[in-house]
Structures are given as structure tokens and as C-alpha cells.
Amino acid sequence: MIAPEPFTTADYAARMARVATDAAAVGLDGVIVTPGPDLVWLTGYQPTAITERLTALVISAASEPALLVPTLERPDAESAAGAAAVQMVDWTDGVDPYAAAAPLIRATGTFGISDNAWAMHLLGLEAALPGTSYRALTQSLPMMRAVKDADELARLEAAGAAADATYLEILEVRFAGRRETEVAADLADLLRRHGHEQVDFTVVGSGPNGANPHHEAGERTIQDGDAVVLDFGGLMYGYGSDTTRTVSVGEPSAELREVHAIVREAQQAGVDAVRPGIACQEVDRAARRVITDAGYGAQFIHRTGHGIGVTTHEPPYMIEGEEQPLVPGMCFSVEPGIYLAGRFGVRIEDIVTVTDDGGRRFNNTDHGIGVVG
């Protein structure tokens, strides 16, 4: 695939303007964004090292965006694609960074702040500006990054296709007699070879380990007859992939076929439920209903899905109680599973985007049980 064009200063400026408007609409005087995925999404800037030195982007409808950075890191910040859309302010070691931040922040305002802001930075801002108050961005603007534009969708689609290519190649790898960690290393290598710049996880859950949804690949030797849950993903062009398939080492047992068929039906029901206007929880309900009706409700022990974008897990979440309506451009996983403790697990996962009239998968490999040697 031809690499997508980089995001421009105009792209980042538009994102910051939208966030300022959305913040005002929910009663915030602005947002304060510290290093992490929100800062990358809003400015293209990712410090080479996240340290105790305060870096903060301040966005408000009342003023132009301002990025406060340590003086020694200003050259790197100025090289970010979105830098031209912000007022750059720096502070030098030996100067109080919170005093430097104070003129950029309304002294009696309420601000959303990054979930991953360091406690020392939040406490420092509160001490310097005792009239301010703060809310976590995930609570105050949970959908900030949720609706993707066409360029973002193209990156997610490319990442999904690369994950699919990885799965097709891993089916040709020997499983029996090898440790889970060895297969996980193969997955990571394949993701990188197919274009991922970052591998976030390579779950290889063989036999009883497959009953742990987030099993870390370990030293267990994979055996003939094992069911193996493969869940892997990372970042490509800065956007995430995440897919899961369940394979069998040799011909699958009748019980594995039965459980797998139920999960496959549930996953299809979840995807079929996707359309604009329905609540996120309806996707969870559709998938969960199939598994519950089959008698395995107690063995489906996690939500049906999570959003994906510049991180592999982000809002919105497909879970009971989440009433956020689906909007075209939202992207999330649909990944029901059944986990039989001490025996095996089955999960099937695709990334899906909401379209104008339904949903579209970014993962398109066979949903059947893959048979490996």
C-alpha cells in the first residue's frame, strides 16, 4: 500500500478548533493536554521522553492554542506538524513551570485534563491557580477522538489489512512442540514486516491458557489438539490494529467446533447490529444474547468491544450501560468470547467502522477455525 499523506498543520488546527468548541458546549473553559495520545492527535508532537518537566497544550475557545514546553525541548516541539497552529511558550530549568503556565489558563476556569497527566503536574496547577478545577478528559469529552475522518479511516483500514496478512502467514508456522513465546515472536515479526511501526500485544493462549482473555504468552509448550487464541495488534501509520482468531493444532474437537460456532454467530450478530443512531450497548447486547441463549453467558467475561484509533484501546466501549449513540466514522472492535476455565477459550475479533447505513469490517480473514500444524 502507498503510505498516506502526512497530516498537515491545517488538519491539526481543525482538530484543536473542534475540541475548543466541544469543550465549551459541555461547560468547560478549555482543556489541558499533557504528553500522550491526545497530544499526538492534536499537534503531532510526541516528546522523545516523558519526564517530570511540564509539557502542556492549553486549548480554549477564548484564546489561540498554546503549547508550553521546556526550553531544551522546544526545537523538537517546533518540528511537529501542528506546531505552526499553536503559540509556543517555553520555560527554563530553575523557573517555576506552573507560574509559566498560569497566564495561559483562566484563573477561575474549569478545564478538562488528560487522563494520563502526572499527579504532580495537576497538583502544581491547582496550587498555582487555586480558583481552577479539573475534570478527566475521558469523562468530560469521551468522544473527542472517536469519530475518524477519511484520512484516519484509511490508516485504520491499512493497519487492519496488515494484521490480516499477518494472520494468513502465521497459519503456515509450526505450532506443535513450540513455546507460546516463540509463536508470539513470530506474530510480532510479521506485524513489523507488514508495516507496523509498533507492536502492542501478541496474545498466544494455548489450551487452558486460552481461557484467560489477556494471557501473556508464556513458556507453555503448545501441544497437538490444543485450541490457541491469537490476539495481536499495534500501530501502523500511527493508527491501531487489533484482531483475534482461534486456531486448532490439528483437527479441532467436536466441543471446540460447537463453542466456536456459537462465538462466530455472536460476533456476526454484534457486527450486524452496527448502524448509526443505536447505543453502543446494543452491540454488546446483540453478541451477548447469542452466547447467553446457548448457555455460556457466565463464560463471556468481558465487554464486546472497545474503540481504536491512535491507541488500540479508547472510547467508545461496547458494553451494557453505554448509551452513546453510534456515529459514522466511529471505529471499534467486536470481539465476543467464551472461556472454559482450565480447558480452552475461543474469541473472534474484527475492527468495525460505522458507515452511513451500517458497519464495515477492517478485518476480513476467514472466521472459521484455522488449522495449524
Side-chain angles (χ1 to χ4, degrees):
M1 175 184 173
I2 299 173
E5 290 295 321
F7 294 119
T8 66
T9 298
D11 293 325
Y12 292 114
R15 291 175 186 177
M16 287 187 275
R18 177 160 62 84
V19 168
T21 299
D22 291 347
V26 297
L28 296 175
D29 292 286
V31 300
I32 298 172
V33 181
T34 57
D38 290 335
L39 186 62
V40 173
W41 183 75
L42 285 163
T43 67
Y45 176 48
Q46 184 168 3
T48 54
I50 299 175
T51 71
E52 74 285 353
R53 292 185 173 96
L54 178 65
T55 295
L57 171 70
V58 182
I59 298 175
S60 171
S63 58
E64 67 174 310
L67 180 60
L68 177 72
V69 297
T71 300
L72 77 168
E73 295 174 9
R74 180 165 182 154
D76 287 340
E78 288 180 329
S79 69
V86 302
Q87 172 194 0
M88 195 77 65
V89 179
D90 62 75
W91 63 274
T92 305
D93 284 355
V95 172
D96 181 353
Y98 308 105
L104 309 176
I105 300 170
R106 181 177 172 182
T108 57
T110 299
F111 292 84
I113 191 165
S114 298
D115 292 15
N116 56 348
W118 286 24
M120 65 177 286
H121 294 155
L122 176 57
L123 293 170
L125 291 171
E126 288 179 326
L129 297 158
T132 56
S133 59
Y134 301 89
R135 301 178 191 167
L137 272 179
T138 290
Q139 294 177 336
S140 53
L141 289 176
M143 298 298 114
M144 185 173 78
R145 305 195 316 256
V147 178
K148 275 65 178 179
D149 63 26
D151 289 335
E152 292 179 293
L153 291 173
R155 286 163 167 78
L156 285 160
E157 186 170 15
D164 283 357
T166 294
Y167 174 67
L168 293 176
E169 288 199 43
I170 205 70
L171 291 177
E172 304 303 316
V173 167
R174 179 142 188 93
F175 279 61
R178 301 177 72 212
R179 294 188 300 275
E180 292 174 342
T181 51
E182 294 177 284
V183 177
D186 290 338
L187 282 169
D189 180 61
L190 286 168
L191 282 169
R192 292 189 183 97
R193 281 204 274 146
H194 285 290
H196 280 60
E197 66 265 12
Q198 177 176 312
V199 175
D200 287 341
F201 51 89
T202 51
V203 172
V204 180
S206 65
N209 289 340
N212 175 0
H214 281 174
H215 170 69
E216 292 283 344
E219 296 305 307
R220 182 181 185 275
T221 298
I222 301 170
Q223 303 170 17
D224 285 320
D226 278 349
V228 185
V229 176
L230 303 173
D231 181 357
F232 50 94
L235 298 182
M236 180 172 172
Y237 305 130
Y239 281 73
S241 68
D242 187 359
T243 189
T244 306
R245 295 291 185 265
T246 302
V247 303
S248 175
V249 185
E251 286 302 308
S253 67
E255 185 180 26
L256 175 57
R257 289 185 185 277
E258 176 188 352
V259 173
H260 190 279
I262 295 165
V263 174
R264 185 173 183 175
E265 181 183 351
Q267 206 264 352
Q268 185 65 53
V271 173
D272 288 344
V274 174
R275 63 184 183 276
I278 72 159
C280 291
Q281 66 183 0
E282 294 301 330
V283 177
D284 182 83
R285 288 174 177 177
R288 197 169 301 276
R289 187 178 302 115
V290 173
I291 292 175
T292 300
D293 288 350
Y296 289 97
Q299 285 74 47
F300 181 10
I301 56 177
H302 55 73
R303 64 198 176 202
T304 291
H306 57 81
I308 190 168
V310 294
T311 58
T312 49
H313 281 208
E314 62 185 44
Y317 298 103
M318 307 302 114
I319 189 170
E320 182 66 31
E322 179 52 82
E323 297 181 350
Q324 168 66 43
L326 297 184
V327 176
M330 284 182 174
C331 300
F332 49 84
S333 65
V334 179
E335 51 176 306
I338 292 175
Y339 307 94
L340 304 180
R343 301 176 63 203
F344 66 88
V346 174
R347 183 164 67 256
I348 301 172
E349 174 186 16
D350 296 321
I351 299 303
V352 176
T353 185
V354 185
T355 64
D356 289 338
D357 57 3
R360 179 167 67 94
R361 301 179 199 259
F362 285 156
N363 297 108
N364 295 286
T365 54
D366 194 299
H367 291 78
I369 303 172
V371 178
V372 297

